[in-house]
Each structure stands twice: as C-alpha cells, then as structure tokens.
Amino acid sequence: MGREKVDTLLLVFACLLVVANHLGSNASWISASAIGLMIWRAWLTLNGRQLPARWLLLAIASLLMGAIYWQFRSFVGRETGVAMLTLLLACKMLEMHAKRDLFVVVFLGLFLLLTSFLDSQSLGSAFQVLVSAFSLLLAQLSFQFSEKAPSLWVRCRLILKMLLLAAPLTVLCFYLFPRIQGPLWSLPSDANIARSGLSDSMTPGNLSKLAMSEELVFRVKFLEETPAKSAMYWRAIILSQFDGRSWTQIAQAVPQGAIKLEVKGKPLAQEITLEPSNNQYLFGLDSVSKTPELESMASHLNALGEIRSELPISKRLRYQVFSQTSYRLNADFDAQQIQINLRLPPGFNPETMKFAQQLRQTFPDPASRINAVLRYFREEKFYYTLEPPPLGRQSVDEFLFSSRAGFCEHYSGAFVVLMRAMGIPARVVTGYQGGLRNTQDGYYEIKQSDAHAWAEVWVEQAGWLRVDPTAAVAPDRILRNLDATQKNTGIAGIVNKFIVQNSWTNDLRMRWSAVNNAWNQWVLNYNQSKQESLWQSLGLSSINWERTLLTVFVLGLIVLAIFAIPLLSHRTKLTIYDKLYLTFCKKMQRRGYQPAIHEAPASYALRLHEHLTTAQVTDVNKFVALYLQIKYGKPTTNLNEKIQQLKGLLKKIK
C-alpha cells in the first residue's frame, strides 16, 4: 500500500476518534452520517477511486444542512453548531485535493474537539480528547514528509516531544494567566441544556425513575464531625400543594422574612462540590442555619429552609455550609401556614378520608396519630419497590388499600394526606438521603439514586418535625442505601454479587472516583479566588494585569530557552566540502541559475551546460565530480588534499 493511502487512512481514523467524542451529545443520525461519509472516504482510498464530483458533494451537504434545520429549526445554537461542524468535517474529508485541505481538516477537527468540553470536562473526557488530538497531529505530521517517512513509532515519539515542549508553558499559563469572572464570550441560548434531577413537583413514579440513575449530584466533605448516615437528609424542595395526584410548590407557602430556627449544639460544617444542574437548588444537611456564600453569585435561605442560588447553576460550584441536626423550625403559630398545609382537594380518596377519621377518633393527640400511621405502614404488608404498579384517579386509596407497593414518594405523599385529614399540618420534602463514602479521599458522593422524599408535620411548640414513613417500611434504605432494599435475581443477581458487591471492583471504582474528584478540585475548580490565593503565597498579591502578562511572557521565554538551547547544539553542522558546494551554488545564483530544492548536484551541473562556455563546463564537471567523490565515496586518507583541489576548482569557476 502506498504512503499516500496510509497517511489518508490515518487521517480518517483520527477524524473518527474526533466524532466519537460527540457520540453521546449528537443525535444518532448525525453521528451515523458522519461516520458513514468517513468510511466512504476510506473505501475510496483503499480502492484507488476518484473523489466524488463537486455537484454530488454540494447535494450531500445541502441535504445534511436541511436535515439539521428540520431537527433544530435553526442554524444558531450550541447543539446545532456542533452538529454542523461534525457533518462539515466528514464532508471535507471527501474534498481533499491539496495540502491546504489537510490543514483545514486538522484545524476543524481540533476545534470540534474543543467543543466536546461543553458537554463533559471529566478526566475520562479529557483523556479521550488528548488521544484524539494526538492522532490528528500524527496524521498532519505524516503528510509533511516528501520522501520516505520514518516509522510510526518514530513519528509518535516526535509528537510526544512536541507536546512535552509545550507542556511547561501550558501549565504556567494555566496557573498564572489572569482569570476573570464570567465567560470570555456568550454561549448560545441552548448552552444550558436541561439535566435530569429533582423537579419542583412530585407525581407517583417520577422519583423512582430518577433513583435508577447513577449520575453524580454533589460531593460532600465534612470538615469536623461526621453525622450518622441515618441523619443525612439533604433538604431541597418543599411541596405543599396537592391536586389529588401531584404535589407542587406554592408561592404562598413561603413565609416572609428569615428562617426561624432555634438550634442546639455545635453546627456541622460541610464543603459541598455541586455538579452543574441548570437549576437553582443548593443543598446542605437538614437544617441549614446560615446562607452559604458563593463566589460567582448570590444565594438565599428562605423561611422554609430551602437554599436557592441567584442564577441557574451551569458549572461546578463549591461552597461551605453550616447545618444543625438538633433544631426547632418555625415553632411559632402562623395561621396562614397552618391553613395552607391542611388543604386537601375535595372529591379525592374517600377511603383514605374515612380511615383518617377513624384514627383521629381513636388517638387524641398528634404524636399518637403519627405513630399509628407509621405502625400501620410497618405492620401491614407494604412493599418498597422501584417498579410500583400504576395508580388511577384515587391514587392514595389505591396505594393504601390495594397495591401497597411503592417508592418513597408514595409513602411520603400518602402519609401527608393522612396527616392533613386528621387535622395535622403536614407537607412533603424532596431531596436526597444518605450517600456513599469514598474510602480513598473521605468525600461522600450523593447520586441521583439517593433521591428521596419524606414528610414534615407541624406540632405545637415543637415546630416542623421530620417524619420519614419510608423508614417504617424499608429501614435499610435509610441505614444503608437503595441497593440494600432491592433483591436481584438471575443474571442481575450474579452481576450484583460478583461485580457490584465485589470488594476489588468497589475499591477500583472508588479510586477512579477519587481521581476524578481531585481533577475537579484542582483543575476544573481553579478559579479567580484560587489564583489570587496562589499569587499571595508567591508574594504576588498586588500584581496587576500588565505586570502579570509581562511575567508570564518572560517566564515563557525562559522555559522555551531552557528547552531550545540544548537542541541548538544538536543541529547538523555543515562540512567544509558542503560549504564549498553551497558557495558554488551562490555563484551560479548570482548569474541567474538558481538550483531547485530537489535538484541533485549532477543534475544541476547538467542543466548549467547550456549556459556556460566549454571551458567553464569542464571546470564545473570536475568540481561536481570531485565533490560527489568526497561526499559519497569511500573514506580516504588524503581528504585535506582533495578539499584543497576542490577549493582550487571553485576559484577557477568565474
């Protein structure tokens, strides 16, 4: 196979790696179209076929652009732009006729790699981008050799050397180049794509679907004391409005003013690293006593104990929060709040209403009524499952007296309905419960599978109290995790036993998670405040932009000099006879007979014959013949004598 074919196939392979970075974000037909076009290019190369005609390429490109507009209804936007770049890269591969087309493909591929960081900046994604960029550079380098190319390993080593030369300056610029708050340019309107997570409403089934996801929500590091896992309730959303099926937020349910929290004991300090969610929910251990301070935006702690950021969280966020596990929340009587949290829609769940009245007559005080409902859940045949049966219009009736199988939203919702029907103010709280401690770095990892719903009831003089009816049915869910409540059989059971519960794989998974966390903390979360702290430690606290840029520039030159100066000593030194031949070429050049770059000495001398006299031709032939004998002939002992002869012949040539 010829060199040109090999180099082209290497470029096709590199571009396929680039497209692979967007397989999870691009629509399936976009990735399939790009891969199909590149495979077509590889087939044409292998079979020595001509590239498609320009009219055919225009037709294909127009069809693909029309399909993009049909799907996105616009040519503007982040997703649209990435999709267009992906398809244009594939089309350009079918239009490579000159070396400049190669540079267009390589630069387009590198830019497309950059856009992959808009979707994921994890350590795995960074490694995948690095491999793809390395392949592109290797393909570009392979095309630069006009003669026989060195082996693949030699070319790889050359690329590695280039990257290593660039690495010190890259690290220096990363840590010292001034950082500013906010983006350098405005992203399109679809840049903040919705992500899965908690919703401001709760319907039977939505939390159980969310709990099947292992997506990371946030990491927590307890700075001092670590509470018991059963006390780890991460409060997020208060739901007070019930329409017979769904629970939603209601603006009137948020009292005016600050939170009324009476605390006991020492607060628990936590450092939370929150993943991007594009919503405004902040988390802290229930109950947060002070509004956390954010670096890039303001936050607010309302009277219900909910924490909200000023803007949607579109990037990873780290903050400290202080919580109290022993507290009284809003213990003062508030008629409006009591009324809001006693409302029930008329015409729904008659059996539940009847059951609540029986309990109300049997048990006189709120505490005994609460315990009666929890005992009912505990002693009757209720089941905790991720796949509960669907419920109809009378959802609470069907759950309590028919299916008796549900997830946390079923138990918390039914519990609150029973409380309100018995005259006890109650509401639903959604958030997360528990978390998995990483034994490698000590951080707790809270994932979507930890999503949970519980209840709060208002008791006179005690305020709002947390009651978790799920704990009465499935205590392992609270004491351990969700997996402890699920019985896996068949293949799922085998996989769970030998892979998920295997100590070696768990240790490997935690190590990888700890590495990712370190990447997040020290690279992705390196912001302006951290840079200012670094400057202070280096004695550069009063630095300004001009001095900083000058310092970076000078340090960059010093680093380049450190690596470049040793390389200069390894430059190929011209021999005396090569210098004499170059002097001969310059003499001829002054007369208008410049040698071509690819022209050998013998061919050059032959071309000069038609411009020189017979005597000059003889002298030129003797000079070139002696030069070739010295340079390519066998080693001789009278080299100096021949060099003197070469000098004499050069002087004769006028």
Side-chain angles (χ1 to χ4, degrees), residues 112-364:
L112 193 57
L113 281 179
L114 183 64
T115 63
S116 66
F117 286 121
L118 297 174
D119 292 306
S120 174
Q121 298 176 13
S122 66
L123 185 59
S125 300
F127 179 76
Q128 188 177 357
V129 168
L130 182 62
V131 171
S132 304
F134 184 91
S135 302
L136 280 174
L137 294 175
L138 180 62
Q140 182 187 14
L141 178 66
S142 300
F143 275 97
Q144 306 309 310
F145 295 99
S146 56
E147 302 295 334
K148 182 181 178 181
S151 66
L152 182 63
W153 171 241
V154 173
R155 281 175 280 164
C156 289
R157 284 171 50 194
L158 186 57
I159 295 293
L160 284 173
K161 287 181 181 179
M162 293 179 183
L163 294 177
L164 289 175
L165 284 173
L169 184 59
T170 303
V171 173
L172 199 65
C173 289
F174 177 82
Y175 283 103
L176 294 183
F177 194 86
R179 291 170 179 261
I180 59 175
Q181 293 286 6
L184 294 177
W185 59 84
S186 296
L187 289 174
S189 58
D190 70 341
N192 295 330
I193 300 171
R195 298 169 183 260
S196 62
L198 290 176
S199 170
D200 56 3
S201 64
M202 187 187 79
T203 304
N206 59 356
L207 276 184
S208 57
K209 293 178 181 177
L210 183 61
M212 295 180 184
S213 170
E214 288 298 313
E215 180 184 0
L216 182 68
V217 182
F218 59 94
R219 287 185 172 92
V220 183
K221 183 178 182 180
F222 290 98
L223 302 182
E224 296 175 0
E225 183 183 353
T226 301
K229 197 168 186 178
S230 59
M232 292 184 184
Y233 283 83
W234 310 97
R235 184 192 198 90
I237 307 168
I238 305 296
L239 306 175
S240 300
Q241 179 73 25
F242 184 56
D243 62 4
R245 180 169 180 81
S246 299
W247 290 89
T248 55
Q249 290 182 299
I250 179 171
Q252 295 87 345
V254 183
Q256 298 297 319
I259 184 173
K260 298 178 181 178
L261 193 69
E262 301 174 31
V263 300
K264 295 180 182 179
K266 186 179 179 182
L268 288 174
Q270 311 131 65
E271 183 181 82
I272 294 182
T273 305
L274 184 61
E275 296 295 309
S277 60
N278 294 327
N279 58 44
Q280 296 173 265
Y281 308 136
L282 299 177
F283 300 95
L285 201 65
D286 194 15
S287 177
V288 174
S289 56
K290 182 181 177 183
T291 304
E293 295 183 3
L294 309 182
E295 293 180 347
S296 55
M297 67 185 84
S299 62
H300 173 64
L301 175 65
N302 65 23
L304 297 180
E306 300 171 320
I307 323 173
R308 297 289 183 269
S309 60
E310 181 184 23
L311 301 171
I313 301 165
S314 58
K315 61 181 181 179
R316 190 174 286 102
L317 191 66
R318 187 164 68 169
Y319 59 91
Q320 285 191 11
V321 67
F322 296 89
S323 303
Q324 299 283 165
T325 56
S326 178
Y327 60 88
R328 285 204 313 168
L329 175 62
N330 295 336
D332 296 338
F333 181 83
D334 186 326
Q336 182 184 11
Q337 292 301 305
I338 298 300
Q339 184 63 33
I340 288 173
N341 291 287
L342 283 174
R343 291 177 186 168
L344 286 173
F348 285 89
N349 308 301
E351 291 186 45
T352 302
M353 300 299 107
K354 182 179 178 181
F355 178 59
Q357 291 305 315
Q358 293 174 357
L359 293 176
R360 187 172 188 175
Q361 293 173 3
T362 305
F363 301 98

